[in-house]
Amino acid sequence: MNALWHGFADMGAVDRDGAFVVARGDGAYVYDTAGKRYLDATAGLWFANVGHGRAEIADAVADQLRTIAHYSNFGDLTEPATQELAEKLSSIAPVPGSKIFFTSGGSDSVETAAKLARRYWHEQGRPDKKILVGRRLAYHGMHYASTSLGGLTPNTEGYGVLVEDTRTIEWDDAKSLLALIEEVGAERIAAFFCEPIIGAGGVYPPPEGYLAEVRQICRDHDILFVADEVVTGFGRIGGSWFASTRFDLRPDLMTTAKGLTSGYLPMGAVFIAPHVAEPFYAGGVWFRHGYTYGGHAGAAAAALANLAIVEREGLLEEAARLETTLHTALAPLADHPRVAEVRSGLGAVAAVQPADPAEAPALVKTLREHGISGRAAGGGAMQISPSFVMTDAQVADLADGFARALG
C-alpha cells in the first residue's frame, strides 16, 4: 500500500503514519474509508467550486466518453464539446474576443503563457524581450518555467537554475517592478506574472491599489501582464468569474485551471487577448506548442456542465456571500495566542496563520480529529477555500472546528 509517491510530502512520514484516504464526497463534505465525515475546508486543492458528488457532471462526461472520449486539437482537428467550451470561455473572458488555448492543468497553462509571451515578442521583431518576472511568495505551478517564476524558496531548492532570464520582485510593492525595469531595461522584459491573490504562498490579498498600479506599469513599459487565475478564476474571487474582471485588469494573458471543471477532470485554459493572438492568426506562423490532452472532449464536457451549475445556482453570488461570512466567522481566531493573524475579506478564501509555522502539520491532523479536512499552505498558513455550496451554518462549524483544534 506504500507504492504511491505523494506530491509535496515527507514520504518518510507518510510511510510511517499512513495516508489520509478520502473515499467519498458530497457537497461541502468528504468521507474517509471508515465513513467519518469531514467539512472540506479547501475544496480539494482549491478546485471543487460546485462541491463534491455532482452526478450531473459525471453524466455529462459519461455521455461524452461514449461518443468520442478525445481525439486531438493539433492542426485543424477538434471535437464539438471543445469548440463549444472555447466559445463559452471567450464569452465570459475579461477581454472581449479572447482566444482560448487548452491545457491539462495550471502548470501547463503557466508554461504555455511563458512560452507564448516570448514568442509574441519574437513575432513583433523584439526577440530581446525574454525576461519573465514573478513575485516573492508566488506559486505558479511546478513545471520548469512555473517553478522558476515562483517565489517560494523551498520549491526551488536543489534544482539549480531551471530557466534563464527569470526574475523575482517583492509581492506587495509595485515600485519593486519599476526598480527592476530601471535595472534591466523594459526592452528586455517580456511579461509580468501576477496572482491577484497570492494563493499557495499563504493566501495574501493584494494591498489596496496594488493590482491597478502594476497593471499600469506594464502598459506604460510595453510588458505583457499575465494574470495567474488558476486559483481565483471561475468564481473564487467572489461575485465575478475572474479577479481580472472584478479589478478591470484586462490582462494580455490569463492562466486558468482548477475551477474550470471543479476538479472533476484535469483541464486548464489560457485566455489570450486579441492583440497577442493576432500575429498567430494572421497566417503563416505556427505556435509549435500543445498537449496531447489539451482540450480533451471529456474534460470539456465536464467544464460545460460545471459552468452551467455555477450559472444556474448563482454560485458567483454564493462565493461573494462566503467572502463576508468567512471574514466574520474566522476573525475571532486572530485573538488566539497560537494565531499570528487571520487573512480574509477578499474572495472565498482565507488563511489562519499559526504563530509558529512549524505547528502546521500537527494542526492539520488535529483539525481532522474535529471533523475538518484542511491543509497548510506556504509559511504554515492554514488554507481555507471552501466549495461555494458551503452554507453559513457550515462556515460556523468550520470556525468552531478551528477553535477547538487550537485549544
Side-chain angles (χ1 to χ4, degrees):
M1 296 298 290
N2 298 317
L4 176 62
W5 190 336
H6 298 239
F8 286 90
D10 176 347
M11 284 309 302
V14 174
D15 204 38
R16 180 188 67 239
D17 301 335
F20 174 59
V21 183
V22 177
R24 181 168 71 89
D26 181 19
Y29 293 103
V30 293
Y31 298 77
D32 66 18
T33 51
K36 181 179 177 179
R37 189 179 75 171
Y38 305 81
L39 262 177
D40 182 6
T42 62
L45 200 60
W46 313 88
F47 55 68
N49 292 1
V50 302
H52 301 286
R54 293 282 193 162
E56 177 180 338
I57 299 178
D59 291 343
V61 172
D63 288 345
Q64 180 62 53
L65 298 187
R66 291 188 186 99
T67 305
I68 178 74
H70 184 49
Y71 197 69
S72 172
N73 286 288
F74 286 11
D76 63 352
L77 299 169
T78 191
E79 303 105 354
T82 308
Q83 286 183 308
E84 182 182 351
L85 179 59
E87 295 301 325
K88 174 62 179 177
L89 296 183
S90 184
S91 75
I92 63 173
V95 178
S98 289
K99 306 300 183 183
I100 309 298
F101 193 102
F102 287 114
T103 71
S104 302
S107 293
D108 285 357
S109 293
V110 171
E111 205 81 2
T112 299
K115 290 175 69 175
L116 184 55
R118 287 185 172 180
R119 183 62 191 277
Y120 168 78
W121 290 117
H122 175 87
E123 294 304 319
Q124 296 298 307
R126 304 173 71 180
D128 291 336
K129 287 177 75 69
K130 293 181 179 179
I131 294 175
L132 305 171
V133 183
R135 298 186 293 163
R136 190 175 66 84
L137 300 182
Y139 178 85
H140 296 295
M142 295 311 298
H143 292 350
Y144 258 49
S146 48
T147 299
S148 297
L149 280 165
L152 294 169
T153 302
N155 289 354
T156 61
E157 288 176 351
Y159 300 123
V161 177
L162 297 179
V163 175
E164 300 284 351
D165 291 325
T166 55
R167 300 288 191 278
T168 303
I169 63 172
E170 275 302 315
W171 77 272
D172 58 349
D173 181 9
K175 299 298 186 293
S176 66
L177 179 56
L178 285 173
L180 179 67
I181 292 169
E182 183 175 346
E183 175 190 345
V184 304
E187 69 278 3
R188 293 182 56 209
I189 300 177
F192 173 59
F193 285 71
C194 180
E195 292 175 281
I197 297 174
I198 295 282
V203 188
Y204 289 90
E208 184 72 27
Y210 173 85
L211 294 175
E213 188 172 358
V214 290
R215 182 64 186 99
Q216 191 57 51
I217 289 170
C218 288
R219 288 194 185 97
D220 292 343
H221 294 86
D222 218 8
I223 296 167
L224 295 180
F225 182 87
V226 184
D228 185 346
E229 297 225 31
V230 171
V231 166
T232 53
F234 303 104
R236 178 65 60 187
I237 191 61
S240 300
W241 282 111
F242 305 103
S244 293
T245 304
R246 179 166 174 172
F247 293 102
D248 194 29
L249 299 177
R250 295 184 170 266
D252 301 298
L253 297 163
M254 184 174 73
T255 58
T256 69
K258 298 190 185 294
L260 172 56
T261 66
S262 282
Y264 280 72
L265 280 178
M267 191 178 216
V270 182
F271 290 61
I272 302 148
H275 68 277
V276 177
E278 193 278 330
F280 305 92
Y281 272 67
V285 176
W286 289 42
F287 181 41
R288 293 184 180 274
H289 176 82
Y291 302 95
T292 298
Y293 300 120
H296 189 282
L304 287 166
N306 172 63
L307 298 178
I309 290 171
V310 172
E311 292 183 317
R312 185 179 70 245
E313 298 186 5
L315 294 186
L316 297 182
E317 291 73 26
E318 291 302 297
R321 169 187 58 82
L322 283 167
E323 175 178 303
T324 300
T325 304
L326 288 171
H327 185 62
T328 301
L330 296 171
L333 296 177
D335 295 329
H336 194 284
R338 293 175 63 191
V339 175
E341 67 173 341
V342 174
R343 296 186 286 273
S344 60
L346 179 61
V349 294
V352 176
Q353 179 67 59
D356 180 4
E359 286 192 344
L363 185 54
V364 168
K365 292 188 176 184
T366 305
L367 281 168
R368 290 175 190 161
E369 295 173 8
H370 295 282
I372 306 294
S373 176
R375 68 180 293 270
M382 303 307 298
Q383 171 193 331
I384 299 169
S385 54
S387 300
F388 304 162
V389 298
M390 183 174 280
T391 66
D392 288 353
Q394 289 169 331
V395 171
D397 290 343
L398 181 71
D400 180 64
F402 267 84
R404 287 185 286 121
L406 288 164

